[in-house]
Amino acid sequence: LFKCVMGKILNWRNATEEEIINDLDHPVNKGMVLVSEIVEDLVIEQCLEVIDNKTTEKILGGFTFDNNLFSMSANAQTNWNNIPNIPDMFFPLKLSTKDDGVYMLELSNKQNFCLTALSFKYSTLQEGTDLKQQVKNSTTQEELQLIMDSL
């Protein structure tokens, strides 16, 4: 017997006589024993949205290179993606840090800077994708809660 209660689907079975008398192992309610909680699609969708938002927040929080924090706003990402196309004669390149400081990007760090920005973005996206897959694969409220608590 399945019953939807507050965003979860509860799986019940008939209680044994011993369970009714002693209230063993599982909560007994009106002759039924709670077997498991199955996560409802709406709850899963809400969790996926939270993961998307947390992933976006993490990316927008910026990345660290050479002990400096750099923005990952949409404009900043466009700028970082274009650095490989900047001719060598324009280096060192003056970059703004997230705290409005100035960082001089040397030609020797051009590729490392770009790879660090890309690696940060795509590893963060992959983390979000992995968490979303775990949410989709969860079958109980407890599993789902553990995943969401890890954020």
Side-chain angles (χ1 to χ4, degrees), residues 54-116:
K54 294 277 187 182
T55 300
T56 299
E57 285 175 25
K58 185 173 179 179
I59 290 171
L60 292 177
F63 72 100
T64 301
F65 180 79
D66 199 14
N67 296 316
N68 290 280
L69 183 62
F70 292 91
S71 175
M72 284 295 280
S73 68
N75 285 342
Q77 289 182 53
T78 299
N79 291 336
W80 308 153
N81 286 336
N82 286 323
I83 285 178
N85 301 325
I86 298 173
D88 294 352
M89 65 186 214
F90 290 106
F91 286 83
L93 190 63
K94 190 185 289 189
L95 304 178
S96 293
T97 62
K98 193 151 181 179
D99 63 356
D100 294 324
V102 173
Y103 178 79
M104 297 303 288
L105 180 62
E106 300 293 332
L107 179 60
S108 61
N109 277 332
K110 177 180 178 178
Q111 184 175 5
N112 286 338
F113 180 86
C114 296
L115 290 175
T116 300

Side-chain angles (χ1 to χ4, degrees), residues 118-137:
L118 281 173
S119 175
F120 168 76
K121 179 179 178 180
Y122 290 110
S123 66
T124 303
L125 289 171
Q126 188 60 56
E127 287 171 16
T129 299
D130 292 345
L131 283 171
K132 287 168 68 172
Q133 192 59 51
Q134 289 176 33
V135 165
K136 290 176 185 177
N137 292 338

Side-chain angles (χ1 to χ4, degrees), residues 11 13 22 35 40 43-44 49 64 80 91 98 101-102 107 130-131 140 142:
N11 182 12
R13 67 169 170 75
N22 299 316
V35 177
E40 190 177 355
V43 174
I44 289 175
E49 186 176 330
T64 301
W80 308 153
F91 286 83
K98 193 151 181 179
V102 173
L107 179 60
D130 292 345
L131 283 171
T140 67
E142 291 81 17

Side-chain angles (χ1 to χ4, degrees), residues 17-61:
E17 196 171 310
E18 182 182 355
E19 288 171 323
I20 292 171
I21 294 168
N22 299 316
D23 197 22
L24 299 175
D25 295 328
H26 300 286
V28 177
N29 185 3
K30 297 180 183 173
M32 303 294 285
V33 176
L34 178 62
V35 177
S36 64
E37 299 176 1
I38 301 171
V39 180
E40 190 177 355
D41 287 344
L42 177 62
V43 174
I44 289 175
E45 288 304 317
Q46 290 170 343
C47 291
L48 296 177
E49 186 176 330
V50 168
I51 291 169
D52 282 340
N53 291 338
K54 294 277 187 182
T55 300
T56 299
E57 285 175 25
K58 185 173 179 179
I59 290 171
L60 292 177

